[in-house]
Amino acid sequence: QVQLVESGGGSVQAGDSLTLSCAASWAYNTFCLGWFRQAPGKEAEGIAAINADGDTDYAKSVQGRFTIRRLIANNTLYLQMDNLQPEDTAKYYCARRDWWRLCPAAEAPKYNHHGQGTQVTVSS
């Protein structure tokens, strides 16, 4: 059974940090976990991904500010977000890709499964 439940969103000021969590089930055929976001009126943007070996990939828009981590012991995926800016305001989703070994962050919106999302609002 697929489980992807995000938490940790909220309203912050520009320059603040926030960590999102995702209770993420991992099946034998799961190769990628990732995060994508979607702002109102905009297309979904894949921002971070991690594969089964722990290799990571990031969108240029978040490179150096966001960090994706996976804690296997408790099946939790994290997104550490530093130096948040108003343009980071969006609903954030965690996603899981099964069967396909390539894990580009840009494709996170197209992964097989995603959660319901958590809202992040950054004010200036």
PDB file of all heavy atoms in Angstrom, residues 14-50:
ATOM      1  N   ALA A  14      10.802  35.765   4.777  1.00  0.00           N
ATOM      2  CA  ALA A  14      11.933  35.587   3.869  1.00  0.00           C
ATOM      3  C   ALA A  14      13.222  35.445   4.683  1.00  0.00           C
ATOM      4  O   ALA A  14      13.443  36.174   5.655  1.00  0.00           O
ATOM      5  CB  ALA A  14      12.038  36.771   2.925  1.00  0.00           C
ATOM      6  N   GLY A  15      14.047  34.478   4.264  1.00  0.00           N
ATOM      7  CA  GLY A  15      15.290  34.207   4.975  1.00  0.00           C
ATOM      8  C   GLY A  15      15.186  33.119   6.018  1.00  0.00           C
ATOM      9  O   GLY A  15      16.215  32.610   6.495  1.00  0.00           O
ATOM     10  N   ASP A  16      13.980  32.746   6.375  1.00  0.00           N
ATOM     11  CA  ASP A  16      13.769  31.694   7.378  1.00  0.00           C
ATOM     12  C   ASP A  16      14.015  30.313   6.774  1.00  0.00           C
ATOM     13  O   ASP A  16      14.135  30.150   5.560  1.00  0.00           O
ATOM     14  CB  ASP A  16      12.347  31.760   7.922  1.00  0.00           C
ATOM     15  CG  ASP A  16      12.152  32.911   8.890  1.00  0.00           C
ATOM     16  OD1 ASP A  16      13.150  33.555   9.257  1.00  0.00           O
ATOM     17  OD2 ASP A  16      10.988  33.174   9.255  1.00  0.00           O
ATOM     18  N   SER A  17      14.047  29.344   7.671  1.00  0.00           N
ATOM     19  CA  SER A  17      14.191  27.938   7.274  1.00  0.00           C
ATOM     20  C   SER A  17      12.962  27.152   7.686  1.00  0.00           C
ATOM     21  O   SER A  17      12.247  27.538   8.628  1.00  0.00           O
ATOM     22  CB  SER A  17      15.435  27.323   7.931  1.00  0.00           C
ATOM     23  OG  SER A  17      16.616  27.962   7.504  1.00  0.00           O
ATOM     24  N   LEU A  18      12.748  26.049   6.980  1.00  0.00           N
ATOM     25  CA  LEU A  18      11.615  25.177   7.269  1.00  0.00           C
ATOM     26  C   LEU A  18      11.986  23.774   6.811  1.00  0.00           C
ATOM     27  O   LEU A  18      12.674  23.624   5.786  1.00  0.00           O
ATOM     28  CB  LEU A  18      10.381  25.675   6.522  1.00  0.00           C
ATOM     29  CG  LEU A  18       8.993  25.256   6.976  1.00  0.00           C
ATOM     30  CD1 LEU A  18       8.735  25.754   8.405  1.00  0.00           C
ATOM     31  CD2 LEU A  18       7.938  25.836   6.033  1.00  0.00           C
ATOM     32  N   THR A  19      11.553  22.777   7.561  1.00  0.00           N
ATOM     33  CA  THR A  19      11.798  21.391   7.153  1.00  0.00           C
ATOM     34  C   THR A  19      10.475  20.681   6.945  1.00  0.00           C
ATOM     35  O   THR A  19       9.633  20.643   7.856  1.00  0.00           O
ATOM     36  CB  THR A  19      12.627  20.641   8.203  1.00  0.00           C
ATOM     37  OG1 THR A  19      13.903  21.274   8.350  1.00  0.00           O
ATOM     38  CG2 THR A  19      12.850  19.200   7.767  1.00  0.00           C
ATOM     39  N   LEU A  20      10.291  20.143   5.769  1.00  0.00           N
ATOM     40  CA  LEU A  20       9.123  19.343   5.455  1.00  0.00           C
ATOM     41  C   LEU A  20       9.438  17.868   5.673  1.00  0.00           C
ATOM     42  O   LEU A  20      10.577  17.432   5.457  1.00  0.00           O
ATOM     43  CB  LEU A  20       8.692  19.556   4.007  1.00  0.00           C
ATOM     44  CG  LEU A  20       8.413  20.990   3.571  1.00  0.00           C
ATOM     45  CD1 LEU A  20       7.939  21.010   2.120  1.00  0.00           C
ATOM     46  CD2 LEU A  20       7.407  21.659   4.477  1.00  0.00           C
ATOM     47  N   SER A  21       8.438  17.139   6.101  1.00  0.00           N
ATOM     48  CA  SER A  21       8.575  15.698   6.291  1.00  0.00           C
ATOM     49  C   SER A  21       7.543  14.975   5.454  1.00  0.00           C
ATOM     50  O   SER A  21       6.469  15.514   5.183  1.00  0.00           O
ATOM     51  CB  SER A  21       8.373  15.322   7.767  1.00  0.00           C
ATOM     52  OG  SER A  21       9.305  15.968   8.593  1.00  0.00           O
ATOM     53  N   CYS A  22       7.867  13.753   5.086  1.00  0.00           N
ATOM     54  CA  CYS A  22       6.928  12.929   4.341  1.00  0.00           C
ATOM     55  C   CYS A  22       7.064  11.491   4.832  1.00  0.00           C
ATOM     56  O   CYS A  22       8.146  10.889   4.710  1.00  0.00           O
ATOM     57  CB  CYS A  22       7.210  13.010   2.849  1.00  0.00           C
ATOM     58  SG  CYS A  22       6.223  11.879   1.840  1.00  0.00           S
ATOM     59  N   ALA A  23       6.000  10.980   5.419  1.00  0.00           N
ATOM     60  CA  ALA A  23       5.967   9.560   5.772  1.00  0.00           C
ATOM     61  C   ALA A  23       5.806   8.795   4.472  1.00  0.00           C
ATOM     62  O   ALA A  23       4.754   8.860   3.830  1.00  0.00           O
ATOM     63  CB  ALA A  23       4.809   9.281   6.719  1.00  0.00           C
ATOM     64  N   ALA A  24       6.885   8.124   4.047  1.00  0.00           N
ATOM     65  CA  ALA A  24       6.935   7.558   2.697  1.00  0.00           C
ATOM     66  C   ALA A  24       7.179   6.059   2.738  1.00  0.00           C
ATOM     67  O   ALA A  24       8.230   5.613   3.201  1.00  0.00           O
ATOM     68  CB  ALA A  24       8.038   8.238   1.898  1.00  0.00           C
ATOM     69  N   SER A  25       6.241   5.321   2.265  1.00  0.00           N
ATOM     70  CA  SER A  25       6.445   3.874   2.136  1.00  0.00           C
ATOM     71  C   SER A  25       7.378   3.598   0.970  1.00  0.00           C
ATOM     72  O   SER A  25       7.419   4.349  -0.006  1.00  0.00           O
ATOM     73  CB  SER A  25       5.100   3.169   1.917  1.00  0.00           C
ATOM     74  OG  SER A  25       4.467   3.645   0.747  1.00  0.00           O
ATOM     75  N   TRP A  26       8.132   2.544   1.101  1.00  0.00           N
ATOM     76  CA  TRP A  26       9.156   2.198   0.106  1.00  0.00           C
ATOM     77  C   TRP A  26       8.997   0.728  -0.229  1.00  0.00           C
ATOM     78  O   TRP A  26       9.151  -0.114   0.632  1.00  0.00           O
ATOM     79  CB  TRP A  26      10.539   2.488   0.696  1.00  0.00           C
ATOM     80  CG  TRP A  26      11.673   2.294  -0.256  1.00  0.00           C
ATOM     81  CD1 TRP A  26      12.274   1.122  -0.587  1.00  0.00           C
ATOM     82  CD2 TRP A  26      12.373   3.309  -0.980  1.00  0.00           C
ATOM     83  NE1 TRP A  26      13.300   1.339  -1.457  1.00  0.00           N
ATOM     84  CE2 TRP A  26      13.383   2.669  -1.732  1.00  0.00           C
ATOM     85  CE3 TRP A  26      12.237   4.692  -1.075  1.00  0.00           C
ATOM     86  CZ2 TRP A  26      14.256   3.379  -2.558  1.00  0.00           C
ATOM     87  CZ3 TRP A  26      13.113   5.391  -1.881  1.00  0.00           C
ATOM     88  CH2 TRP A  26      14.105   4.746  -2.629  1.00  0.00           C
ATOM     89  N   ALA A  27       8.681   0.433  -1.455  1.00  0.00           N
ATOM     90  CA  ALA A  27       8.464  -0.942  -1.885  1.00  0.00           C
ATOM     91  C   ALA A  27       9.725  -1.507  -2.530  1.00  0.00           C
ATOM     92  O   ALA A  27      10.672  -0.769  -2.808  1.00  0.00           O
ATOM     93  CB  ALA A  27       7.298  -1.006  -2.865  1.00  0.00           C
ATOM     94  N   TYR A  28       9.722  -2.809  -2.809  1.00  0.00           N
ATOM     95  CA  TYR A  28      10.910  -3.450  -3.386  1.00  0.00           C
ATOM     96  C   TYR A  28      11.253  -2.862  -4.754  1.00  0.00           C
ATOM     97  O   TYR A  28      12.401  -2.913  -5.185  1.00  0.00           O
ATOM     98  CB  TYR A  28      10.673  -4.955  -3.522  1.00  0.00           C
ATOM     99  CG  TYR A  28       9.716  -5.330  -4.629  1.00  0.00           C
ATOM    100  CD1 TYR A  28      10.193  -5.721  -5.880  1.00  0.00           C
ATOM    101  CD2 TYR A  28       8.345  -5.267  -4.437  1.00  0.00           C
ATOM    102  CE1 TYR A  28       9.317  -6.044  -6.899  1.00  0.00           C
ATOM    103  CE2 TYR A  28       7.459  -5.592  -5.452  1.00  0.00           C
ATOM    104  CZ  TYR A  28       7.956  -5.979  -6.683  1.00  0.00           C
ATOM    105  OH  TYR A  28       7.091  -6.289  -7.690  1.00  0.00           O
ATOM    106  N   ASN A  29      10.250  -2.327  -5.438  1.00  0.00           N
ATOM    107  CA  ASN A  29      10.457  -1.788  -6.775  1.00  0.00           C
ATOM    108  C   ASN A  29      10.510  -0.264  -6.794  1.00  0.00           C
ATOM    109  O   ASN A  29      10.356   0.359  -7.838  1.00  0.00           O
ATOM    110  CB  ASN A  29       9.348  -2.264  -7.711  1.00  0.00           C
ATOM    111  CG  ASN A  29       7.971  -1.842  -7.229  1.00  0.00           C
ATOM    112  OD1 ASN A  29       7.790  -1.474  -6.063  1.00  0.00           O
ATOM    113  ND2 ASN A  29       6.995  -1.875  -8.118  1.00  0.00           N
ATOM    114  N   THR A  30      10.718   0.343  -5.623  1.00  0.00           N
ATOM    115  CA  THR A  30      10.814   1.808  -5.549  1.00  0.00           C
ATOM    116  C   THR A  30      12.252   2.232  -5.741  1.00  0.00           C
ATOM    117  O   THR A  30      13.142   1.739  -5.059  1.00  0.00           O
ATOM    118  CB  THR A  30      10.302   2.323  -4.200  1.00  0.00           C
ATOM    119  OG1 THR A  30       8.923   1.966  -4.050  1.00  0.00           O
ATOM    120  CG2 THR A  30      10.448   3.829  -4.107  1.00  0.00           C
ATOM    121  N   PHE A  31      12.488   3.168  -6.643  1.00  0.00           N
ATOM    122  CA  PHE A  31      13.847   3.620  -6.908  1.00  0.00           C
ATOM    123  C   PHE A  31      14.064   5.097  -6.593  1.00  0.00           C
ATOM    124  O   PHE A  31      15.194   5.526  -6.422  1.00  0.00           O
ATOM    125  CB  PHE A  31      14.213   3.356  -8.373  1.00  0.00           C
ATOM    126  CG  PHE A  31      14.297   1.889  -8.685  1.00  0.00           C
ATOM    127  CD1 PHE A  31      13.271   1.255  -9.356  1.00  0.00           C
ATOM    128  CD2 PHE A  31      15.387   1.142  -8.284  1.00  0.00           C
ATOM    129  CE1 PHE A  31      13.338  -0.101  -9.633  1.00  0.00           C
ATOM    130  CE2 PHE A  31      15.464  -0.212  -8.556  1.00  0.00           C
ATOM    131  CZ  PHE A  31      14.433  -0.833  -9.226  1.00  0.00           C
ATOM    132  N   CYS A  32      12.985   5.864  -6.536  1.00  0.00           N
ATOM    133  CA  CYS A  32      13.138   7.303  -6.360  1.00  0.00           C
ATOM    134  C   CYS A  32      12.088   7.834  -5.393  1.00  0.00           C
ATOM    135  O   CYS A  32      10.931   7.411  -5.428  1.00  0.00           O
ATOM    136  CB  CYS A  32      12.932   8.061  -7.671  1.00  0.00           C
ATOM    137  SG  CYS A  32      13.784   7.400  -9.099  1.00  0.00           S
ATOM    138  N   LEU A  33      12.509   8.796  -4.597  1.00  0.00           N
ATOM    139  CA  LEU A  33      11.600   9.648  -3.842  1.00  0.00           C
ATOM    140  C   LEU A  33      11.947  11.089  -4.176  1.00  0.00           C
ATOM    141  O   LEU A  33      13.118  11.403  -4.388  1.00  0.00           O
ATOM    142  CB  LEU A  33      11.731   9.410  -2.341  1.00  0.00           C
ATOM    143  CG  LEU A  33      11.266   8.067  -1.800  1.00  0.00           C
ATOM    144  CD1 LEU A  33      11.624   7.942  -0.318  1.00  0.00           C
ATOM    145  CD2 LEU A  33       9.770   7.885  -2.000  1.00  0.00           C
ATOM    146  N   GLY A  34      10.953  11.918  -4.209  1.00  0.00           N
ATOM    147  CA  GLY A  34      11.239  13.299  -4.584  1.00  0.00           C
ATOM    148  C   GLY A  34      10.227  14.278  -4.039  1.00  0.00           C
ATOM    149  O   GLY A  34       9.250  13.895  -3.382  1.00  0.00           O
ATOM    150  N   TRP A  35      10.497  15.544  -4.307  1.00  0.00           N
ATOM    151  CA  TRP A  35       9.597  16.636  -3.930  1.00  0.00           C
ATOM    152  C   TRP A  35       9.326  17.490  -5.162  1.00  0.00           C
ATOM    153  O   TRP A  35      10.218  17.756  -5.956  1.00  0.00           O
ATOM    154  CB  TRP A  35      10.241  17.524  -2.870  1.00  0.00           C
ATOM    155  CG  TRP A  35      10.397  16.907  -1.532  1.00  0.00           C
ATOM    156  CD1 TRP A  35      11.487  16.244  -1.054  1.00  0.00           C
ATOM    157  CD2 TRP A  35       9.434  16.894  -0.463  1.00  0.00           C
ATOM    158  NE1 TRP A  35      11.269  15.821   0.231  1.00  0.00           N
ATOM    159  CE2 TRP A  35      10.006  16.213   0.615  1.00  0.00           C
ATOM    160  CE3 TRP A  35       8.136  17.415  -0.324  1.00  0.00           C
ATOM    161  CZ2 TRP A  35       9.344  16.025   1.817  1.00  0.00           C
ATOM    162  CZ3 TRP A  35       7.467  17.225   0.873  1.00  0.00           C
ATOM    163  CH2 TRP A  35       8.071  16.537   1.926  1.00  0.00           C
ATOM    164  N   PHE A  36       8.082  17.900  -5.288  1.00  0.00           N
ATOM    165  CA  PHE A  36       7.757  18.915  -6.275  1.00  0.00           C
ATOM    166  C   PHE A  36       6.823  19.933  -5.639  1.00  0.00           C
ATOM    167  O   PHE A  36       6.281  19.713  -4.565  1.00  0.00           O
ATOM    168  CB  PHE A  36       7.176  18.304  -7.561  1.00  0.00           C
ATOM    169  CG  PHE A  36       5.809  17.684  -7.432  1.00  0.00           C
ATOM    170  CD1 PHE A  36       4.657  18.424  -7.686  1.00  0.00           C
ATOM    171  CD2 PHE A  36       5.668  16.339  -7.102  1.00  0.00           C
ATOM    172  CE1 PHE A  36       3.398  17.847  -7.592  1.00  0.00           C
ATOM    173  CE2 PHE A  36       4.420  15.749  -7.014  1.00  0.00           C
ATOM    174  CZ  PHE A  36       3.280  16.503  -7.253  1.00  0.00           C
ATOM    175  N   ARG A  37       6.658  21.055  -6.275  1.00  0.00           N
ATOM    176  CA  ARG A  37       5.798  22.101  -5.739  1.00  0.00           C
ATOM    177  C   ARG A  37       4.968  22.704  -6.848  1.00  0.00           C
ATOM    178  O   ARG A  37       5.318  22.630  -8.023  1.00  0.00           O
ATOM    179  CB  ARG A  37       6.640  23.184  -5.065  1.00  0.00           C
ATOM    180  CG  ARG A  37       7.576  23.947  -6.006  1.00  0.00           C
ATOM    181  CD  ARG A  37       8.495  24.862  -5.219  1.00  0.00           C
ATOM    182  NE  ARG A  37       9.394  25.624  -6.095  1.00  0.00           N
ATOM    183  CZ  ARG A  37      10.354  26.421  -5.651  1.00  0.00           C
ATOM    184  NH1 ARG A  37      10.574  26.553  -4.345  1.00  0.00           N
ATOM    185  NH2 ARG A  37      11.120  27.060  -6.516  1.00  0.00           N
ATOM    186  N   GLN A  38       3.877  23.288  -6.438  1.00  0.00           N
ATOM    187  CA  GLN A  38       3.008  23.947  -7.402  1.00  0.00           C
ATOM    188  C   GLN A  38       2.402  25.183  -6.785  1.00  0.00           C
ATOM    189  O   GLN A  38       1.746  25.117  -5.743  1.00  0.00           O
ATOM    190  CB  GLN A  38       1.909  23.010  -7.897  1.00  0.00           C
ATOM    191  CG  GLN A  38       1.101  23.594  -9.043  1.00  0.00           C
ATOM    192  CD  GLN A  38       0.315  22.554  -9.805  1.00  0.00           C
ATOM    193  OE1 GLN A  38      -0.008  21.499  -9.280  1.00  0.00           O
ATOM    194  NE2 GLN A  38       0.005  22.849 -11.058  1.00  0.00           N
ATOM    195  N   ALA A  39       2.650  26.306  -7.430  1.00  0.00           N
ATOM    196  CA  ALA A  39       2.062  27.576  -7.019  1.00  0.00           C
ATOM    197  C   ALA A  39       0.792  27.812  -7.830  1.00  0.00           C
ATOM    198  O   ALA A  39       0.664  27.299  -8.945  1.00  0.00           O
ATOM    199  CB  ALA A  39       3.058  28.703  -7.239  1.00  0.00           C
ATOM    200  N   PRO A  40      -0.149  28.588  -7.298  1.00  0.00           N
ATOM    201  CA  PRO A  40      -1.397  28.844  -8.032  1.00  0.00           C
ATOM    202  C   PRO A  40      -1.127  29.422  -9.416  1.00  0.00           C
ATOM    203  O   PRO A  40      -0.347  30.354  -9.566  1.00  0.00           O
ATOM    204  CB  PRO A  40      -2.116  29.861  -7.139  1.00  0.00           C
ATOM    205  CG  PRO A  40      -1.584  29.597  -5.780  1.00  0.00           C
ATOM    206  CD  PRO A  40      -0.150  29.218  -5.976  1.00  0.00           C
ATOM    207  N   GLY A  41      -1.752  28.847 -10.410  1.00  0.00           N
ATOM    208  CA  GLY A  41      -1.611  29.335 -11.770  1.00  0.00           C
ATOM    209  C   GLY A  41      -0.325  28.943 -12.466  1.00  0.00           C
ATOM    210  O   GLY A  41      -0.078  29.371 -13.594  1.00  0.00           O
ATOM    211  N   LYS A  42       0.496  28.129 -11.801  1.00  0.00           N
ATOM    212  CA  LYS A  42       1.773  27.728 -12.398  1.00  0.00           C
ATOM    213  C   LYS A  42       1.847  26.213 -12.530  1.00  0.00           C
ATOM    214  O   LYS A  42       1.148  25.477 -11.836  1.00  0.00           O
ATOM    215  CB  LYS A  42       2.939  28.231 -11.548  1.00  0.00           C
ATOM    216  CG  LYS A  42       3.070  29.737 -11.508  1.00  0.00           C
ATOM    217  CD  LYS A  42       4.331  30.162 -10.799  1.00  0.00           C
ATOM    218  CE  LYS A  42       4.512  31.669 -10.828  1.00  0.00           C
ATOM    219  NZ  LYS A  42       5.767  32.090 -10.147  1.00  0.00           N
ATOM    220  N   GLU A  43       2.719  25.770 -13.430  1.00  0.00           N
ATOM    221  CA  GLU A  43       2.937  24.343 -13.584  1.00  0.00           C
ATOM    222  C   GLU A  43       3.703  23.781 -12.385  1.00  0.00           C
ATOM    223  O   GLU A  43       4.459  24.501 -11.728  1.00  0.00           O
ATOM    224  CB  GLU A  43       3.721  24.067 -14.872  1.00  0.00           C
ATOM    225  CG  GLU A  43       2.946  24.347 -16.137  1.00  0.00           C
ATOM    226  CD  GLU A  43       3.672  23.880 -17.378  1.00  0.00           C
ATOM    227  OE1 GLU A  43       4.763  23.302 -17.253  1.00  0.00           O
ATOM    228  OE2 GLU A  43       3.145  24.095 -18.482  1.00  0.00           O
ATOM    229  N   ALA A  44       3.499  22.503 -12.145  1.00  0.00           N
ATOM    230  CA  ALA A  44       4.249  21.844 -11.088  1.00  0.00           C
ATOM    231  C   ALA A  44       5.736  21.831 -11.438  1.00  0.00           C
ATOM    232  O   ALA A  44       6.115  21.642 -12.599  1.00  0.00           O
ATOM    233  CB  ALA A  44       3.740  20.419 -10.911  1.00  0.00           C
ATOM    234  N   GLU A  45       6.550  22.051 -10.430  1.00  0.00           N
ATOM    235  CA  GLU A  45       8.002  22.113 -10.613  1.00  0.00           C
ATOM    236  C   GLU A  45       8.669  21.052  -9.747  1.00  0.00           C
ATOM    237  O   GLU A  45       8.565  21.096  -8.517  1.00  0.00           O
ATOM    238  CB  GLU A  45       8.530  23.496 -10.220  1.00  0.00           C
ATOM    239  CG  GLU A  45      10.040  23.623 -10.330  1.00  0.00           C
ATOM    240  CD  GLU A  45      10.591  24.906  -9.703  1.00  0.00           C
ATOM    241  OE1 GLU A  45       9.861  25.552  -8.921  1.00  0.00           O
ATOM    242  OE2 GLU A  45      11.763  25.245 -10.008  1.00  0.00           O
ATOM    243  N   GLY A  46       9.373  20.135 -10.366  1.00  0.00           N
ATOM    244  CA  GLY A  46      10.156  19.175  -9.617  1.00  0.00           C
ATOM    245  C   GLY A  46      11.378  19.846  -9.041  1.00  0.00           C
ATOM    246  O   GLY A  46      12.097  20.551  -9.757  1.00  0.00           O
ATOM    247  N   ILE A  47      11.639  19.668  -7.733  1.00  0.00           N
ATOM    248  CA  ILE A  47      12.723  20.425  -7.122  1.00  0.00           C
ATOM    249  C   ILE A  47      13.811  19.568  -6.490  1.00  0.00           C
ATOM    250  O   ILE A  47      14.944  20.021  -6.356  1.00  0.00           O
ATOM    251  CB  ILE A  47      12.179  21.430  -6.076  1.00  0.00           C
ATOM    252  CG1 ILE A  47      11.327  20.711  -5.024  1.00  0.00           C
ATOM    253  CG2 ILE A  47      11.393  22.541  -6.758  1.00  0.00           C
ATOM    254  CD1 ILE A  47      10.895  21.612  -3.874  1.00  0.00           C
ATOM    255  N   ALA A  48      13.510  18.349  -6.087  1.00  0.00           N
ATOM    256  CA  ALA A  48      14.532  17.529  -5.437  1.00  0.00           C
ATOM    257  C   ALA A  48      14.162  16.064  -5.553  1.00  0.00           C
ATOM    258  O   ALA A  48      12.978  15.713  -5.561  1.00  0.00           O
ATOM    259  CB  ALA A  48      14.690  17.916  -3.968  1.00  0.00           C
ATOM    260  N   ALA A  49      15.195  15.219  -5.636  1.00  0.00           N
ATOM    261  CA  ALA A  49      14.969  13.779  -5.714  1.00  0.00           C
ATOM    262  C   ALA A  49      16.153  13.038  -5.111  1.00  0.00           C
ATOM    263  O   ALA A  49      17.278  13.559  -5.088  1.00  0.00           O
ATOM    264  CB  ALA A  49      14.763  13.349  -7.165  1.00  0.00           C
ATOM    265  N   ILE A  50      15.869  11.839  -4.621  1.00  0.00           N
ATOM    266  CA  ILE A  50      16.904  10.986  -4.057  1.00  0.00           C
ATOM    267  C   ILE A  50      16.633   9.556  -4.509  1.00  0.00           C
ATOM    268  O   ILE A  50      15.477   9.114  -4.520  1.00  0.00           O
ATOM    269  CB  ILE A  50      16.946  11.112  -2.519  1.00  0.00           C
ATOM    270  CG1 ILE A  50      18.126  10.343  -1.930  1.00  0.00           C
ATOM    271  CG2 ILE A  50      15.628  10.678  -1.889  1.00  0.00           C
ATOM    272  CD1 ILE A  50      18.403  10.683  -0.463  1.00  0.00           C
TER     273      ILE A  50
END
